[in-house]
Coordinates of all heavy atoms in Angstrom, one line a residue:
M11 N 79.2 119.5 103.5 CA 80.6 119.4 103.7 C 81.1 120.2 105.0 O 82.2 120.6 105.2 CB 81.5 119.9 102.5 CG 82.8 119.3 102.3 SD 82.8 117.6 102.3 CE 82.2 117.2 100.6
S12 N 80.1 120.3 105.9 CA 80.4 121.3 107.1 C 81.4 120.5 108.1 O 82.0 121.1 108.9 CB 79.2 121.6 107.9 OG 78.5 120.4 108.1
N13 N 81.6 119.2 107.9 CA 82.4 118.5 108.9 C 83.9 118.3 108.3 O 84.7 117.7 109.0 CB 81.8 117.0 109.1 CG 80.6 117.1 109.9 OD1 80.3 118.0 110.7 ND2 79.7 116.2 109.7
W14 N 84.0 118.9 107.2 CA 85.3 118.6 106.5 C 86.5 118.9 107.4 O 87.5 118.1 107.4 CB 85.3 119.6 105.2 CG 86.6 119.4 104.4 CD1 87.8 120.0 104.4 CD2 86.8 118.2 103.5 NE1 88.6 119.5 103.6 CE2 88.1 118.4 103.0 CE3 86.0 117.2 103.0 CZ2 88.6 117.6 102.0 CZ3 86.5 116.4 102.1 CH2 87.9 116.5 101.6
S15 N 86.4 120.0 108.1 CA 87.6 120.4 109.0 C 87.9 119.4 110.0 O 89.0 119.5 110.7 CB 87.4 121.7 109.6 OG 86.2 121.7 110.4
R16 N 87.0 118.4 110.3 CA 87.3 117.5 111.4 C 88.4 116.5 110.9 O 89.0 115.8 111.7 CB 86.1 116.7 111.7 CG 85.1 117.5 112.5 CD 83.7 116.6 112.7 NE 84.0 115.3 113.1 CZ 83.1 114.4 112.9 NH1 82.2 114.5 112.2 NH2 83.4 113.1 113.4
F17 N 88.5 116.4 109.5 CA 89.4 115.4 109.1 C 90.8 115.9 108.6 O 90.8 117.1 108.0 CB 88.7 114.6 108.0 CG 87.4 114.1 108.4 CD1 86.3 114.6 108.1 CD2 87.5 112.9 109.2 CE1 85.0 114.2 108.7 CE2 86.3 112.4 109.7 CZ 85.1 113.0 109.4
D18 N 91.7 115.1 108.7 CA 93.0 115.5 108.2 C 93.1 115.0 106.7 O 93.6 114.0 106.5 CB 94.2 114.9 109.0 CG 95.6 115.3 108.5 OD1 95.5 116.2 107.5 OD2 96.5 115.0 109.1
D19 N 92.4 115.7 105.8 CA 92.2 115.3 104.5 C 93.5 115.2 103.7 O 93.6 114.4 102.7 CB 91.2 116.2 103.7 CG 91.6 117.6 103.8 OD1 91.9 118.1 104.8 OD2 91.8 118.2 102.7
R20 N 94.6 115.6 104.2 CA 95.9 115.6 103.5 C 96.3 114.1 103.6 O 97.1 113.7 102.8 CB 97.0 116.4 104.1 CG 96.6 117.9 103.9 CD 97.6 118.7 104.8 NE 97.3 118.3 106.3 CZ 97.9 118.9 107.3 NH1 98.8 119.8 107.2 NH2 97.5 118.5 108.5
N21 N 95.8 113.4 104.6 CA 96.2 112.1 104.9 C 95.2 111.0 104.4 O 95.2 109.8 104.8 CB 96.6 111.8 106.4 CG 97.9 112.2 106.6 OD1 98.8 112.3 105.8 ND2 98.1 112.6 107.9
V22 N 94.3 111.5 103.5 CA 93.2 110.5 103.1 C 93.4 110.4 101.5 O 93.4 111.3 100.8 CB 91.8 111.1 103.4 CG1 90.8 110.2 102.8 CG2 91.6 111.2 104.9
M23 N 93.5 109.2 101.2 CA 93.7 108.8 99.6 C 92.2 108.8 99.2 O 91.3 107.9 99.7 CB 94.3 107.5 99.5 CG 94.6 107.2 98.1 SD 95.3 105.4 97.8 CE 97.0 105.6 98.5
R24 N 91.9 109.5 98.1 CA 90.6 109.4 97.6 C 90.2 108.1 97.0 O 91.1 107.5 96.5 CB 90.5 110.5 96.6 CG 90.8 111.9 97.1 CD 90.0 112.4 98.3 NE 88.5 112.3 98.1 CZ 87.9 113.5 97.9 NH1 88.5 114.6 98.0 NH2 86.6 113.4 97.6
A25 N 89.0 107.8 97.0 CA 88.4 106.6 96.5 C 89.0 106.2 95.1 O 89.4 105.1 94.7 CB 86.9 106.5 96.5
E26 N 89.1 107.2 94.3 CA 89.5 106.9 92.8 C 91.0 106.5 92.9 O 91.4 105.5 92.1 CB 89.4 108.2 92.0 CG 88.0 108.8 91.9 CD 87.6 109.6 93.1 OE1 88.6 110.3 93.7 OE2 86.5 109.5 93.6
E27 N 91.8 107.0 93.8 CA 93.2 106.6 93.8 C 93.4 105.3 94.5 O 94.2 104.5 94.1 CB 94.0 107.6 94.6 CG 95.5 107.4 94.3 CD 96.4 108.6 94.9 OE1 95.8 109.6 95.3 OE2 97.5 108.4 94.9
V28 N 92.5 105.0 95.4 CA 92.5 103.7 96.0 C 92.3 102.5 95.0 O 92.9 101.5 94.8 CB 91.5 103.5 97.2 CG1 91.3 102.1 97.6 CG2 91.8 104.4 98.4
E29 N 91.2 102.9 94.2 CA 90.8 101.9 93.1 C 92.1 101.7 92.1 O 92.4 100.6 91.7 CB 89.6 102.5 92.3 CG 89.1 101.4 91.3 CD 87.8 101.9 90.7 OE1 87.3 102.9 91.1 OE2 87.3 101.1 89.9
H30 N 92.7 102.8 91.9 CA 93.8 102.8 90.9 C 95.0 101.9 91.5 O 95.6 101.1 90.9 CB 94.3 104.3 90.6 CG 95.5 104.3 89.8 ND1 95.4 104.0 88.4 CD2 96.7 104.7 90.0 CE1 96.6 104.1 87.8 NE2 97.4 104.6 88.8
R31 N 95.3 102.2 92.8 CA 96.5 101.6 93.4 C 96.2 100.2 94.0 O 97.2 99.4 93.9 CB 97.0 102.5 94.6 CG 97.5 103.8 94.2 CD 98.4 104.3 95.2 NE 98.7 105.8 94.9 CZ 99.6 106.5 95.5 NH1 100.2 105.9 96.6 NH2 100.0 107.7 95.3
F32 N 95.0 100.0 94.4 CA 94.8 98.7 95.1 C 94.0 97.7 94.3 O 93.7 96.6 94.5 CB 94.1 98.9 96.4 CG 95.0 99.5 97.5 CD1 95.1 100.9 97.6 CD2 95.7 98.8 98.4 CE1 95.8 101.6 98.6 CE2 96.5 99.4 99.4 CZ 96.6 100.8 99.4
G33 N 93.4 98.3 93.2 CA 92.5 97.6 92.3 C 91.2 97.2 93.0 O 90.6 96.2 92.5
K34 N 90.8 98.0 94.0 CA 89.5 97.7 94.7 C 88.7 98.9 94.8 O 89.2 100.0 95.1 CB 89.9 97.2 96.2 CG 90.5 95.8 96.2 CD 90.8 95.4 97.6 CE 91.5 94.0 97.6 NZ 90.6 92.9 97.2
K35 N 87.5 98.7 94.4 CA 86.6 99.9 94.4 C 86.0 99.9 95.8 O 85.6 99.0 96.4 CB 85.4 99.6 93.3 CG 84.6 100.9 93.2 CD 83.8 100.5 91.9 CE 82.7 101.6 91.6 NZ 83.4 102.9 91.5
L36 N 86.0 101.1 96.5 CA 85.4 101.3 97.8 C 83.9 101.3 97.8 O 83.3 102.1 96.9 CB 85.9 102.5 98.5 CG 87.4 102.5 98.8 CD1 87.9 103.8 99.5 CD2 87.7 101.4 99.8
G37 N 83.3 100.6 98.6 CA 81.8 100.7 98.7 C 81.4 102.0 99.4 O 82.2 102.7 100.0
R38 N 80.1 102.3 99.1 CA 79.6 103.5 99.8 C 79.5 103.4 101.3 O 79.6 102.3 101.8 CB 78.1 103.7 99.3 CG 78.2 104.2 97.8 CD 76.8 104.4 97.3 NE 76.8 104.9 95.9 CZ 76.6 106.3 95.6 NH1 76.5 107.1 96.6 NH2 76.7 106.8 94.4
C39 N 79.6 104.5 102.0 CA 79.3 104.5 103.4 C 78.2 103.8 103.8 O 77.0 104.0 103.3 CB 79.4 105.9 103.9 SG 79.1 106.1 105.6
P40 N 78.3 102.8 104.7 CA 77.1 102.1 105.2 C 76.2 102.8 106.1 O 75.0 102.5 106.3 CB 77.7 100.9 106.0 CG 79.0 101.3 106.4 CD 79.5 102.3 105.4
F41 N 76.6 104.0 106.5 CA 75.7 104.9 107.4 C 75.0 105.9 106.7 O 73.8 106.0 106.8 CB 76.7 105.5 108.5 CG 77.4 104.5 109.2 CD1 78.7 104.1 109.0 CD2 76.8 103.8 110.3 CE1 79.4 103.2 109.8 CE2 77.3 102.8 111.1 CZ 78.7 102.6 110.8
C42 N 75.7 106.7 105.8 CA 75.0 107.7 105.0 C 75.0 107.5 103.5 O 74.4 108.3 102.8 CB 75.7 109.0 105.4 SG 77.4 109.3 104.5
K43 N 75.5 106.4 103.0 CA 75.4 106.0 101.7 C 76.2 106.9 100.7 O 76.1 106.9 99.5 CB 73.9 105.9 101.1 CG 73.1 104.9 102.0 CD 73.6 103.6 102.1 CE 72.8 102.7 102.8 NZ 73.6 101.4 103.2
S44 N 77.1 107.7 101.3 CA 77.9 108.6 100.5 C 79.0 107.9 99.8 O 79.5 106.9 100.5 CB 78.5 109.7 101.4 OG 79.5 110.5 100.5
A45 N 79.4 108.2 98.6 CA 80.5 107.6 97.9 C 81.8 108.5 98.2 O 82.8 108.1 97.7 CB 80.2 107.6 96.4
N46 N 81.7 109.4 99.0 CA 82.8 110.3 99.3 C 83.6 109.8 100.5 O 83.6 110.3 101.5 CB 82.2 111.8 99.6 CG 83.4 112.8 99.7 OD1 84.6 112.5 99.3 ND2 83.1 113.9 100.3
V47 N 84.3 108.6 100.2 CA 85.0 107.9 101.3 C 86.4 107.8 100.8 O 86.7 107.8 99.5 CB 84.4 106.6 101.5 CG1 83.0 106.7 102.1 CG2 84.5 105.6 100.3
G48 N 87.4 107.6 101.7 CA 88.7 107.5 101.4 C 89.5 106.7 102.4 O 89.0 106.3 103.5
L49 N 90.7 106.4 102.0 CA 91.6 105.6 102.9 C 92.5 106.5 103.7 O 93.3 107.3 103.1 CB 92.5 104.6 102.0 CG 93.6 103.9 102.8 CD1 93.0 102.9 103.8 CD2 94.4 103.0 101.8
Y50 N 92.4 106.4 105.0 CA 93.2 107.2 105.9 C 94.6 106.6 105.9 O 94.7 105.4 106.2 CB 92.6 107.3 107.3 CG 93.5 108.1 108.2 CD1 93.7 109.4 108.2 CD2 94.2 107.4 109.3 CE1 94.6 110.0 109.1 CE2 95.1 108.0 110.1 CZ 95.3 109.3 110.0 OH 96.1 110.0 110.8
L51 N 95.6 107.4 105.7 CA 97.0 106.8 105.5 C 97.9 106.8 106.7 O 99.1 106.6 106.6 CB 97.6 107.5 104.3 CG 96.9 107.3 103.0 CD1 97.6 108.3 102.0 CD2 97.0 105.9 102.5
G52 N 97.3 107.1 107.9 CA 98.1 107.2 109.1 C 98.6 105.8 109.5 O 98.5 104.8 108.8
P53 N 99.1 105.7 110.7 CA 99.6 104.5 111.2 C 98.7 103.4 111.4 O 99.0 102.2 111.6 CB 100.4 104.9 112.5 CG 99.8 106.2 112.9 CD 99.5 106.8 111.5
A54 N 97.4 103.8 111.6 CA 96.3 102.9 111.8 C 95.4 103.0 110.6 O 94.4 103.7 110.8 CB 95.6 103.0 113.0
P55 N 95.6 102.4 109.5 CA 94.8 102.7 108.2 C 93.4 102.3 108.4 O 93.1 101.2 108.9 CB 95.5 102.0 107.1 CG 96.8 101.6 107.7 CD 96.7 101.6 109.3
H56 N 92.5 103.0 107.9 CA 91.1 102.8 107.9 C 90.4 103.6 106.8 O 90.9 104.6 106.5 CB 90.4 102.9 109.3 CG 90.5 104.3 109.8 ND1 91.6 104.8 110.4 CD2 89.7 105.4 109.6 CE1 91.5 106.1 110.8 NE2 90.2 106.5 110.3
I57 N 89.2 103.1 106.4 CA 88.5 103.9 105.5 C 87.6 104.9 106.4 O 87.1 104.6 107.4 CB 87.5 102.9 104.7 CG1 88.3 101.8 104.0 CG2 86.7 103.9 103.7 CD1 89.4 102.4 103.1
T58 N 87.6 106.1 105.9 CA 86.8 107.1 106.5 C 85.8 107.7 105.5 O 86.1 107.9 104.3 CB 87.9 108.2 107.2 OG1 87.0 109.0 108.0 CG2 88.5 109.0 106.1
C59 N 84.7 108.2 106.1 CA 83.7 108.8 105.3 C 83.8 110.2 105.3 O 83.8 110.8 106.6 CB 82.3 108.3 105.7 SG 81.0 109.1 104.8
L60 N 84.0 111.0 104.3 CA 84.3 112.3 104.4 C 82.9 113.2 104.4 O 83.0 114.3 104.7 CB 85.1 112.8 103.2 CG 86.5 112.2 103.1 CD1 87.1 112.5 101.7 CD2 87.4 112.8 104.2
A61 N 81.9 112.4 104.4 CA 80.5 113.1 104.4 C 80.0 113.0 105.9 O 79.5 114.1 106.3 CB 79.6 112.4 103.5
C62 N 80.1 111.9 106.5 CA 79.4 111.8 107.9 C 80.6 111.4 109.0 O 80.2 111.6 110.2 CB 78.4 110.7 108.0 SG 79.0 109.0 108.0
G63 N 81.7 111.2 108.6 CA 82.8 111.0 109.6 C 82.9 109.6 110.1 O 83.7 109.4 111.0
A64 N 82.1 108.7 109.6 CA 82.2 107.3 110.0 C 83.6 106.6 109.7 O 84.1 107.0 108.6 CB 81.2 106.5 109.3
D65 N 84.2 106.0 110.6 CA 85.4 105.3 110.4 C 85.2 103.8 110.2 O 84.5 103.2 111.1 CB 86.4 105.6 111.6 CG 86.8 107.0 111.5 OD1 87.1 107.6 110.4 OD2 86.9 107.6 112.7
G66 N 85.8 103.2 109.3 CA 85.8 101.7 109.2 C 86.7 101.0 110.1 O 87.5 101.6 110.8
P67 N 86.6 99.7 110.1 CA 87.4 98.8 111.0 C 88.8 98.9 110.6 O 89.2 99.4 109.5 CB 86.9 97.4 110.6 CG 85.6 97.5 109.9 CD 85.7 98.8 109.2
L68 N 89.6 98.8 111.6 CA 91.0 98.8 111.4 C 91.7 97.7 112.1 O 91.1 97.2 113.2 CB 91.7 100.2 111.8 CG 91.5 100.6 113.2 CD1 92.6 100.1 114.1 CD2 91.5 102.2 113.3
R69 N 92.9 97.5 111.8 CA 93.7 96.4 112.3 C 95.0 97.1 112.8 O 95.8 97.6 112.0 CB 94.0 95.2 111.4 CG 94.8 94.0 112.2 CD 95.0 92.9 111.3 NE 95.9 93.2 110.1 CZ 96.2 92.3 109.2 NH1 95.6 91.1 109.3 NH2 97.1 92.6 108.3
H70 N 95.3 97.0 114.1 CA 96.6 97.5 114.6 C 97.7 96.5 114.1 O 97.5 95.3 114.0 CB 96.5 97.6 116.1 CG 95.7 98.8 116.5 ND1 95.9 100.0 116.4 CD2 94.4 98.8 117.1 CE1 95.0 100.8 117.0 NE2 94.1 100.0 117.3
R71 N 98.8 97.3 113.8 CA 99.9 96.5 113.2 C 100.5 95.5 114.2 O 100.6 95.9 115.4 CB 100.9 97.5 112.7 CG 100.4 98.2 111.5 CD 101.4 99.2 111.1 NE 102.6 98.6 110.4 CZ 103.6 99.4 109.9 NH1 103.6 100.7 110.0 NH2 104.6 98.8 109.3
R72 N 100.5 94.3 113.7 CA 101.4 93.4 114.5 C 102.7 93.1 113.9 O 102.9 93.6 112.8 CB 100.5 92.0 114.6 CG 99.2 92.2 115.2 CD 98.5 90.7 115.2 NE 98.2 90.4 113.9 CZ 96.8 90.1 113.5 NH1 95.9 90.3 114.4 NH2 96.6 89.7 112.3
S73 N 103.6 92.5 114.8 CA 104.9 92.3 114.1 C 104.7 91.4 112.9 O 103.9 90.5 112.9 CB 105.7 91.6 115.1 OG 105.2 90.3 115.5
G74 N 105.4 91.8 111.9 CA 105.4 91.1 110.6 C 104.3 91.7 109.6 O 104.3 91.4 108.3
D75 N 103.3 92.4 110.2 CA 102.4 93.1 109.3 C 103.1 94.4 108.6 O 103.9 95.0 109.3 CB 101.3 93.7 110.1 CG 100.2 92.8 110.4 OD1 100.2 91.6 109.9 OD2 99.3 93.2 111.2
D76 N 102.9 94.5 107.3 CA 103.4 95.7 106.8 C 102.2 96.7 106.6 O 100.9 96.2 106.7 CB 104.2 95.6 105.5 CG 103.5 95.0 104.3 OD1 102.1 95.0 104.4 OD2 104.2 94.5 103.4
I77 N 102.4 97.9 106.3 CA 101.4 98.9 106.3 C 100.4 98.7 105.2 O 99.3 98.8 105.2 CB 102.0 100.3 106.1 CG1 101.0 101.4 106.5 CG2 102.6 100.5 104.8 CD1 100.6 101.5 108.0
V78 N 100.9 98.1 104.0 CA 100.0 97.7 102.9 C 99.1 96.7 103.3 O 97.9 96.7 102.9 CB 100.8 97.4 101.7 CG1 99.9 96.9 100.5 CG2 101.8 98.5 101.2
A79 N 99.4 95.6 104.1 CA 98.6 94.6 104.6 C 97.4 95.3 105.4 O 96.2 94.8 105.2 CB 99.3 93.6 105.3
C80 N 97.7 96.2 106.1 CA 96.7 96.9 107.0 C 95.9 97.7 106.1 O 94.6 97.8 106.5 CB 97.4 97.8 108.1 SG 98.3 96.9 109.4
Q81 N 96.3 98.3 105.1 CA 95.5 99.1 104.2 C 94.6 98.1 103.5 O 93.4 98.4 103.3 CB 96.4 99.8 103.2 CG 97.2 101.0 103.9 CD 98.2 101.5 103.1 OE1 98.7 101.1 102.0 NE2 98.7 102.6 103.5
F82 N 95.0 97.0 103.1 CA 94.1 96.0 102.3 C 93.0 95.5 103.3 O 91.9 95.3 103.0 CB 94.9 94.7 101.8 CG 95.3 95.0 100.4 CD1 96.7 95.2 100.0 CD2 94.4 94.8 99.3 CE1 97.1 95.3 98.7 CE2 94.8 94.9 98.0 CZ 96.2 95.2 97.7
Y83 N 93.4 95.2 104.5 CA 92.5 94.8 105.5 C 91.3 95.8 105.7 O 90.2 95.5 105.7 CB 93.2 94.6 106.9 CG 92.2 94.3 108.0 CD1 92.0 92.9 108.3 CD2 91.8 95.2 108.8 CE1 91.2 92.5 109.4 CE2 90.9 94.9 109.9 CZ 90.7 93.5 110.2 OH 89.9 93.2 111.2
A84 N 91.8 97.1 105.8 CA 90.9 98.2 106.0 C 89.9 98.2 104.9 O 88.6 98.4 105.0 CB 91.6 99.6 106.2
I85 N 90.4 98.1 103.6 CA 89.5 98.2 102.4 C 88.5 97.1 102.4 O 87.4 97.2 102.2 CB 90.4 98.2 101.2 CG1 91.2 99.5 101.2 CG2 89.5 98.0 99.9 CD1 92.4 99.4 100.1
E86 N 89.1 95.8 102.8 CA 88.2 94.7 102.7 C 87.0 94.7 103.7 O 85.9 94.4 103.5 CB 89.0 93.3 102.7 CG 90.1 93.3 101.6 CD 90.3 91.9 101.2 OE1 90.3 91.0 102.0 OE2 90.5 91.8 99.9
K87 N 87.5 95.1 104.9 CA 86.5 95.2 106.0 C 85.4 96.2 105.6 O 84.1 96.0 105.9 CB 87.1 95.5 107.3 CG 87.9 94.4 108.0 CD 86.9 93.2 108.3 CE 87.6 92.0 109.0 NZ 86.6 91.0 109.2
W88 N 85.8 97.3 105.1 CA 84.9 98.3 104.7 C 83.9 97.8 103.7 O 82.7 98.0 103.9 CB 85.6 99.5 104.3 CG 84.6 100.7 103.7 CD1 84.3 100.9 102.5 CD2 84.1 101.7 104.6 NE1 83.4 102.0 102.5 CE2 83.3 102.5 103.7 CE3 84.3 102.1 105.9 CZ2 82.6 103.6 104.2 CZ3 83.5 103.2 106.3 CH2 82.8 104.0 105.4
N89 N 84.5 97.2 102.7 CA 83.5 96.7 101.6 C 82.6 95.5 102.1 O 81.6 95.4 101.5 CB 84.4 96.3 100.5 CG 84.9 97.5 99.7 OD1 84.4 98.5 99.9 ND2 85.9 97.2 98.9
Q90 N 83.0 94.9 103.2 CA 82.1 93.9 103.7 C 80.8 94.5 104.4 O 79.8 94.0 104.5 CB 82.8 92.9 104.8 CG 83.7 91.9 104.1 CD 84.6 91.3 105.1 OE1 84.4 91.3 106.2 NE2 85.7 90.7 104.6
A91 N 81.1 95.7 105.0 CA 80.0 96.4 105.7 C 79.3 97.3 104.7 O 78.1 97.6 105.0 CB 80.7 97.3 106.8
A92 N 79.9 97.6 103.6 CA 79.2 98.7 102.8 C 78.1 98.1 102.0 O 78.0 96.9 101.8 CB 80.2 99.2 101.7
Ligands
ZN27 ZN1 79.1 108.4 105.7

């Protein structure tokens, strides 16, 4: 967990809560196979690995997109790679 301080973990929803809120289980990190991943909740939502720092794909918001659509996109893209 030496890299922990690199991340703004206050803005990361833990995998258990993602599953609860979105009904989707996050896959393991495709790089380090850690299950310690979460959803970054900033303006450009993406899945981030808290073990190795890998960031998943993200979609920048377009007009008409709401933040939840971007969060779903991030989860689905991550799971396709995981
Ligand atoms: Zn990782």
Side-chain angles (χ1 to χ4, degrees):
M11 208 54 78
S12 59
N13 289 333
W14 185 262
S15 61
R16 285 172 51 205
F17 304 100
D18 185 359
D19 53 303
R20 293 166 300 181
N21 279 333
V22 175
M23 186 189 292
R24 305 305 298 256
E26 301 77 40
E27 194 173 351
V28 170
E29 188 173 356
H30 179 69
R31 293 204 188 183
F32 292 86
K34 291 181 181 294
K35 191 172 176 60
L36 290 179
R38 287 176 176 265
C39 175
F41 301 99
C42 74
K43 306 301 178 194
S44 174
N46 190 14
V47 300
L49 173 63
Y50 176 72
L51 296 172
H56 58 274
I57 307 303
T58 190
C59 175
L60 296 169
C62 77
D65 289 321
L68 59 86
R69 182 174 72 182
H70 290 286
R71 290 173 77 179
R72 297 183 291 242
S73 62
D75 279 354
D76 66 19
I77 194 77
V78 176
C80 292
Q81 291 167 345
F82 266 107
Y83 176 91
I85 292 166
E86 300 213 326
K87 284 294 178 184
W88 176 268
N89 282 346
Q90 285 167 15

